[in-house]
Amino acid sequence: MDSKEIKFIVANMPPFNKLKDNEVNEFLNICEVKTYKYGEIIYKDQDPPDYFYFLLKGRILILGSDSGVKTEIELIKRGTVFGIISLFNDEPHSVTTKPIEESLVLRLEKEKFKNFLNFHPSFSTEFYRILSQRIRARAGRKKIFQCKRIAIFGTHLSGKSTYTFNLAFKLKEETRKNVIFVEFISEKDKKPISFCGQEGKILELSNYDEGKFSDYIMHKGIKGSLETKIDCLAVEMTDTTNFASLINFLSENYHFVIYDIPVYFEGDKLYELLSPADYFHYLILPVHEDADKANLLIKTLEARNSINLEKIKLILSDFSGQTRISSGETKKITGQSVYATLTSMDSEEYGKTLRRISREIGELLVGLALGSGGAYGLSHIGVLKVFEENKIPIDIICGSSIGAVIATLWALGFEGKEIEKLTSNFVKNINFFSLKGFSFPFRGLWRAKYLENVLKKLFNDKTFYDLKHPLKIVVFDFKSKGVKVLDEGFLYKAVAASCALPGIFEPIRLKDDMLLDGGILNPLPTKVLLNYGAKKIIAVNIVPSQEEMLAEYKKRDKLHIFDFIFGSIETMQRQFIEQATLVADVIVHPNFANLHWLEFNKVEDFVKRGENATSAKLDEIKKLVTS
């Protein structure tokens, strides 16, 4: 892993994403990168603190000790900082850490780390937030490595209490970790309006006693599941006294603390409850009144610095199925993109949305990167078909060039066979040897409108808000000479931009931008997935190796202009692909012997190559997604 790759990973992970570019460089200049082999101890329980650690690649097991017996606490993945509690309190480590596979770790000597924090106070504040989540257990050995707190608030009739309980249950189901659902009420004799208070005691926060905490815990399941249960706690709150103590105590015993804030909580009480949250899910109805309320609250939170705005997740509760204002309009009013849309609780889409959200919180997101490469990209369909047959989960997908076409069809909810049929019809309209759509003057051999119209037949007027799954499309921004990620607007326009091969197609205009093929700078968009929270990344590399390219050219008598354009771009892409594969956990690379990048008429052949390559990697993929 080279220095650019290391910088990319560090600069895009919290809390380092709060640093300026020169500050990231300053930090990396005083760090060292160390490779730890499988089973090698990084530090042991009771070892003195020596370094700050940041996991760049691999997986590390955190082990506690109970009566001399080692117990697994957590398996941490790339982007996690560890060893920081002992750095701050100068006490010995309370856990043992060792990799379960070869892992790359960035580390910095204790004193150098503290000096860096002293000179960067805003950065140190972020570390204190992390530290607060990893408080050493007050009695006994460490049980929880890190806790995530999710505050749920919403407008009237937004369904937030039902959502809170279902999200807590889904988190338990997906992560198999300790989850507690906390519901706050305001009157001692009033029953909670959702699930916690149907039986058992209500905890009076003003008389909160840790020693008697277990008396108030209720264990709740959900209809249809006999095994999965979560802990529930009903809390009477007249003011916020002891709230911080309660949250900190729960953070020592649960991996996830989800608390439901009543709609009538406002002012200082509301802001204090939101302050310790790692995520703030705000549910509103798709109406102007609710969007205006959300805008006011978000601006107030920003002014008070009560919560990092990046942690706010705006959720539309569209139970009627008849959206009165769109997600785009909601964003214009609130300044926040819509994080998710909830349909009827009985619908399949409701369950899928909850699953995606819980997997993101639980750092389980599986990302699939579909690369660029002309007709070779038709093999992506075969990859998706094997995933579908073997029930391999994909939580977020990202495509570049032809990969954007296939990724978008999948994100719209089409299955492999449907995608193959739709793509077969689509490629019939891509004829590089027709004068239809020819462009004068020469910004490209074909007009942008020609490409847009072909793709509009495939995607109609659907937008990113019509997607069933999260999608990111990579393009090359000609004016800034950089990579741009599209995730809003018309799908056909975004895909056209990602497919606009320079010299062949005119640039696609989007507002003031001139956009071209995403494969120019990002032919395999694994880094985009990393930046959007994917912890497990599968990449489909369809650019032939140098040996494969030479073998193909030797078989052909004549080369034409498209071979020179595409071949030159392929050569430039090779270095980008080498960097991209370092980020991926599994790489699928089909064999394209005897196939050419312009043979769009051989859909079935390409699909079969994708199926074969994915089947060969299936054991590795299953191991990754189930770990």
Side-chain angles (χ1 to χ4, degrees):
M1 187 176 288
D2 62 26
S3 58
K4 288 183 179 179
E5 195 69 29
I6 292 170
K7 181 179 177 181
F8 177 86
I9 294 173
V10 172
N12 285 281
M13 290 292 184
F16 299 98
N17 56 357
K18 304 299 178 187
L19 292 174
K20 297 177 182 176
D21 185 71
N22 65 310
E23 293 173 327
V24 175
N25 290 333
E26 180 187 347
F27 183 78
L28 292 177
N29 285 337
I30 58 176
C31 292
E32 63 175 328
V33 178
K34 183 173 174 60
T35 300
Y36 290 92
K37 297 180 180 179
Y38 166 77
E40 182 181 357
I41 300 296
I42 299 174
Y43 58 76
K44 299 194 301 292
D45 182 9
Q46 297 306 305
D47 277 354
D50 49 3
Y51 290 96
F52 157 84
Y53 298 92
F54 176 86
L55 182 55
L56 289 167
K57 189 173 185 180
R59 292 175 295 169
I60 291 174
L61 191 61
I62 307 295
L63 297 167
S65 180
D66 187 5
S67 301
V69 178
K70 293 293 182 185
T71 57
E72 295 184 6
I73 296 177
E74 190 155 352
L75 184 65
I76 63 171
K77 306 173 186 68
R78 102 175 111 218
T80 304
V81 298
F82 58 105
I84 63 170
I85 292 179
S86 296
L87 283 184
F88 282 100
N89 62 18
D90 285 320
E91 293 182 6
H93 290 294
S94 60
V95 296
T96 297
T97 57
K98 67 176 183 179
I100 64 166
E101 62 189 26
E102 185 171 280
S103 298
L104 207 61
V105 176
L106 187 75
R107 68 181 196 177
L108 179 60
E109 293 177 5
K110 178 175 69 173
E111 294 307 320
K112 289 182 179 179
F113 175 69
K114 288 185 175 180
N115 287 337
F116 186 84
L117 292 185
N118 289 336
F119 285 102
H120 300 83
S122 60
F123 180 58
S124 64
T125 301
E126 292 299 316
F127 264 101
Y128 288 123
R129 289 180 186 270
I130 296 174
L131 182 65
S132 70
Q133 299 170 25
R134 301 186 188 173
I135 303 169
R136 189 183 303 273
R138 302 175 194 184
R141 308 305 296 165
K142 195 178 184 74
K143 300 177 184 177
I144 303 297
F145 180 69
Q146 59 183 338
C147 171
K148 292 188 177 180
R149 305 154 176 174
I150 305 100
I152 315 292
F153 188 62
T155 55
H156 189 56
L157 300 179
S158 64
K160 70 173 182 64
S161 294
T162 302
Y163 169 78
T164 308
F165 178 79
N166 286 329
L167 179 62
F169 181 82
K170 201 66 179 175
L171 258 175
K172 176 71 175 183
E173 187 177 67
E174 291 291 332
T175 66
R176 297 295 171 185
K177 292 184 177 181
N178 299 335
V179 179
I180 187 166
F181 165 39
V182 182
E183 182 179 24
F184 293 106
I185 56 176
S186 63
E187 299 175 22
K188 181 177 179 180
D189 59 347
K190 180 181 179 181
K191 289 287 184 182
I193 58 175
S194 60
F195 304 92
C196 286
Q198 293 175 0
E199 59 184 68
K201 298 181 179 179
I202 296 174
L203 174 67
E204 295 181 35
L205 191 59
S206 58
N207 296 321
Y208 163 59
D209 182 351
E210 290 178 11
K212 298 179 180 179
F213 171 78
S214 59
D215 296 342
Y216 298 91
I217 293 295
M218 292 163 278
H219 307 286
K220 293 288 183 179
I222 199 166
K223 188 176 181 181
S225 177
L226 299 175
E227 298 180 359
T228 307
K229 291 186 177 182
I230 61 171
D231 286 358
C232 293
L233 177 67
V235 179
E236 179 208 342
M237 175 184 280
T238 53
D239 56 45
T240 56
T241 303
N242 290 332
F243 172 71
S245 297
L246 173 65
I247 290 297
N248 285 334
F249 177 72
L250 295 177
S251 299
E252 296 167 2
N253 292 277
Y254 293 91
H255 294 98
F256 304 100
V257 178
I258 303 180
Y259 53 100
D260 179 16
I261 304 174
V263 294
Y264 46 81
F265 277 28
E266 56 186 18
D268 291 339
K269 182 184 287 189
L270 173 60
Y271 306 137
E272 286 191 48
L273 265 63
L274 292 177
S275 182
D278 299 299
Y279 300 94
F280 168 34
H281 290 193
Y282 189 12
L283 278 68
I284 64 171
L285 295 172
V287 295
H288 282 285
E289 181 184 358
D290 278 17
D292 290 337
K293 287 180 181 178
N295 178 49
L296 179 60
L297 176 57
I298 290 168
K299 284 185 175 178
T300 304
L301 290 173
E302 183 178 17
R304 294 176 60 106
N305 197 27
S306 296
I307 191 170
N308 186 332
L309 294 187
E310 293 177 3
K311 297 177 181 179
I312 299 175
K313 309 295 183 184
L314 195 62
I315 298 173
L316 282 184
S317 295
D318 187 19
F319 302 129
S320 67
Q322 297 178 348
T323 304
R324 282 146 283 179
I325 63 171
S326 68
S327 297
E329 289 177 289
T330 303
K331 181 180 178 180
K332 287 180 181 178
I333 296 171
T334 64
Q336 291 281 125
S337 295
V338 173
Y339 174 62
T341 300
L342 298 175
T343 54
S344 170
M345 193 177 78
D346 298 328
S347 71
E348 183 180 356
E349 290 306 314
Y350 186 91
K352 287 182 178 179
T353 302
L354 278 177
R355 180 184 179 278
R356 190 257 298 175
I357 294 172
S358 63
R359 287 176 64 81
E360 181 174 339
I361 295 171
E363 297 186 345
L364 298 172
L365 287 186
V366 175
L368 180 63
L370 302 186
S372 65
Y376 295 143
L378 301 174
S379 63
H380 291 319
I381 303 169
V383 176
L384 292 170
K385 288 176 77 171
V386 174
F387 275 45
E388 183 183 310
E389 290 165 6
N390 291 274
K391 295 181 171 53
I392 303 297
I394 307 171
D395 299 298
I396 179 172
I397 195 166
C398 182
S400 184
S401 195
I402 184 67
V405 178
I406 309 303
T408 303
L409 288 170
W410 179 83
L412 279 167
F414 292 108
E415 296 183 347
K417 290 182 179 179
E418 295 173 298
I419 295 174
E420 185 172 355
K421 183 178 179 180
L422 288 166
T423 306
S424 297
N425 294 331
F426 158 69
V427 297
K428 289 176 183 176
N429 294 311
I430 300 293
N431 185 349
F432 287 110
F433 301 101
S434 166
L435 290 179
K436 182 182 178 182
F438 209 64
S439 170
F440 294 96
F442 293 116
R443 288 183 178 175
L445 292 177
W446 277 267
R447 292 189 180 94
K449 278 295 179 186
Y450 171 61
L451 181 58
E452 288 185 29
N453 288 338
V454 169
L455 287 162
K456 193 169 184 180
K457 291 178 182 177
L458 187 63
F459 299 115
N460 300 312
D461 285 326
K462 293 186 183 298
T463 71
F464 279 85
Y465 293 120
D466 294 306
L467 297 172
K468 307 292 185 184
H469 310 284
L471 166 72
K472 307 297 174 184
I473 291 178
V474 176
V475 299
F476 170 58
D477 187 336
F478 181 77
K479 289 184 178 179
S480 69
K481 302 297 188 291
V483 173
K484 190 179 186 72
V485 178
L486 302 181
D487 55 9
E488 61 182 11
F490 289 112
L491 293 172
Y492 78 85
K493 194 92 172 175
V495 176
S498 192
C499 292
L501 193 67
I504 294 181
F505 291 106
E506 289 181 321
I508 302 297
R509 290 191 173 274
L510 193 62
K511 297 180 180 178
D512 295 328
D513 296 328
M514 296 175 65
L515 307 177
L516 287 161
D517 194 319
I520 296 171
L521 290 182
N522 203 339
L524 190 59
T526 55
K527 297 178 183 179
V528 175
L529 292 172
L530 180 70
N531 201 28
Y532 281 93
K535 293 296 182 179
K536 304 174 183 183
I537 297 174
I538 303 166
V540 187
N541 175 20
I542 57 171
V543 172
S545 66
Q546 189 171 5
E547 293 76 17
E548 289 172 323
M549 287 174 63
L550 289 172
E552 175 61 28
Y553 289 140
K554 284 180 181 178
K555 296 175 185 177
R556 301 176 59 207
D557 296 330
K558 295 181 179 180
L559 301 177
H560 50 65
I561 183 174
F562 302 111
D563 285 314
F564 292 116
I565 293 174
F566 190 75
S568 299
I569 290 175
E570 277 185 329
T571 303
M572 293 186 296
Q573 287 175 337
R574 195 161 289 114
Q575 184 178 356
F576 294 127
I577 287 173
E578 287 176 2
Q579 293 178 353
T581 55
L582 292 173
V583 177
D585 297 289
V586 178
I587 301 159
V588 177
H589 183 60
N591 179 353
F592 295 119
N594 301 315
L595 288 173
H596 186 254
W597 74 274
L598 265 178
E599 293 179 314
F600 286 96
N601 59 314
K602 296 185 178 180
V603 176
E604 291 184 7
D605 290 342
F606 282 112
V607 172
K608 191 64 179 176
R609 300 293 179 94
E611 289 177 340
N612 292 340
T614 310
S615 296
K617 289 275 189 173
L618 197 53
D619 288 343
E620 193 177 343
I621 292 169
K622 286 181 177 179
K623 182 180 177 182
L624 173 71
V625 300
T626 58
S627 63

